[in-house]
C-alpha cells in the first residue's frame, strides 16, 4: 500500500530507473514490513526550468 | 473546493478524458455535496518507464 | 493502476467518504476502462486555516 | 525547508518562470521566516486536456 | 487556475499563514498574469518525524 | 535534489521511520548518483478511513 513519488531532474537512463525502483522497493519493504507487491512507485522528472532553490531556476545555476 | 488529481498510464484519448472528468465530477459533487463549479480535476499521465509495482517498471512487465 | 487523490475541506462523515470512494472508483473504472481492483484513492482533508483562494484563508471567509 | 509546488496551465515563458520563483521565494521567506536557501519550488505545467473545472476540460471551454 | 501547495514544518501561527497566502497569491498573480480569484493555495504541515534530509529525520537533528 | 514522498497507512513507530528514511536515501543516492545531502523525504500517513482500493475504504476491509 505504500505509494512513493520520486521527483528528480530529468536525464537518468532507463537502466538507472530500473535500479532505482528495485532498490527503493526493497528498502521500503524491509523497513516498514510491507509486501513488495503492495508497493507502487511513481517517477516524476523535472526539467531545469521547472525546479528552483533559493529563488533561482536550475537552468540559471 | 475539492481538488482531485488522477494519475494513470498514458494513452487514453481526449474522448475518454472528457468522460472521465465529467463522471468523476458528478460522483464527487453528489457524494460530498459540493457544487460542480467548485470541483477541479488534474490528470497526470505516467509513461511506462515511470511507474513501478513490486519493484519492476511497467515497461518491463 | 489509476491513483486518485481527493483534497477537500475536513468535516465529511465516514458514510460520505464510503460513498465517495465507491462512486469515484466506478466513474474511473467505466470511463478509462480500468479494473476496479487496480484503482486506489487517497482522501486528504484540509483544515480551514490551510486552504486559501484569492489570497484569503477559508477560515476568514 | 518549505517545498512549494505550483501547478498551472502550460505556456508561460522562461522569463515569467524566473520572476515567479524569485518572487514566491521572497514571499515565503519573509512571511514564515525561512532562509531563501532552504526554499525549493517545483513548477508543474498542465496541458489544456489535463485540467478541468465543473466537469469540463479546459480545452473545451 | 494556478494551484499551489506549500509543505513546511508545523508550528507557524495563523497570522503567519494569513500573510503567507496573501503574499504568495500576489507574487503569483503578478508574475504569471493570473487573476487572484483563480489562485488556490493549500498548506500542508509536516511534523518533525515526517521530514528528512540526508537520511536523517528532522526530529533527530 | 530528489524529493521523495512516501504515503502509507499510519501506525509505524519512529524507529521504523528512522530506518525507512535512512535506507531509502541510500537506495536513491546509489542508483541515481545523487549526494545524500540533496535528498529530501516526506512521510505522509493515511488513516484507514482515508485510503481505498477497489472502491472500499481500508477501514471496511
Amino acid at each position: 500500500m505504500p505509494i512513493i513519488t520520486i521527483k528528480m531532474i530529468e536525464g537518468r537512463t532507463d537502466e538507472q530507473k530500473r535500479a532505482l525502483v528495485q532498490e527503493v522497493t526493497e528498502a521500503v519493504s524491509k523497513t516498514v514490513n510491507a509486501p513488495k507487491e503492495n508497493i507502487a512507485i511513481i517517477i516524476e522528472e523535472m526539467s531545469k526550468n521547472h525546479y528552483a532553490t533559493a529563488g533561482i531556476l536550475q537552468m540559471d545555476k
Side-chain angles (χ1 to χ4, degrees), chain A:
Chain A
M1 229 155 304
I3 298 172
I4 297 138
T5 307
I6 301 174
K7 302 194 183 200
M8 58 184 184
I9 294 291
E10 62 190 358
R12 269 73 178 204
T13 64
D14 281 348
E15 201 44 63
Q16 285 180 298
K17 292 170 187 171
R18 210 170 260 131
L20 172 66
V21 300
Q22 186 191 323
E23 302 225 4
V24 170
T25 299
E26 277 167 20
V28 173
S29 174
K30 180 179 131 191
T31 54
V32 303
N33 203 23
K36 286 189 191 178
E37 309 83 72
N38 289 358
I39 299 173
I41 300 183
I42 301 161
I43 298 173
E44 297 184 352
E45 290 187 318
M46 306 178 287
S47 56
K48 289 189 174 183
N49 63 340
H50 282 173
Y51 182 72
T53 50
I56 300 166
L57 291 174
Q58 192 65 18
M59 68 180 293
D60 293 330
K61 291 196 175 177

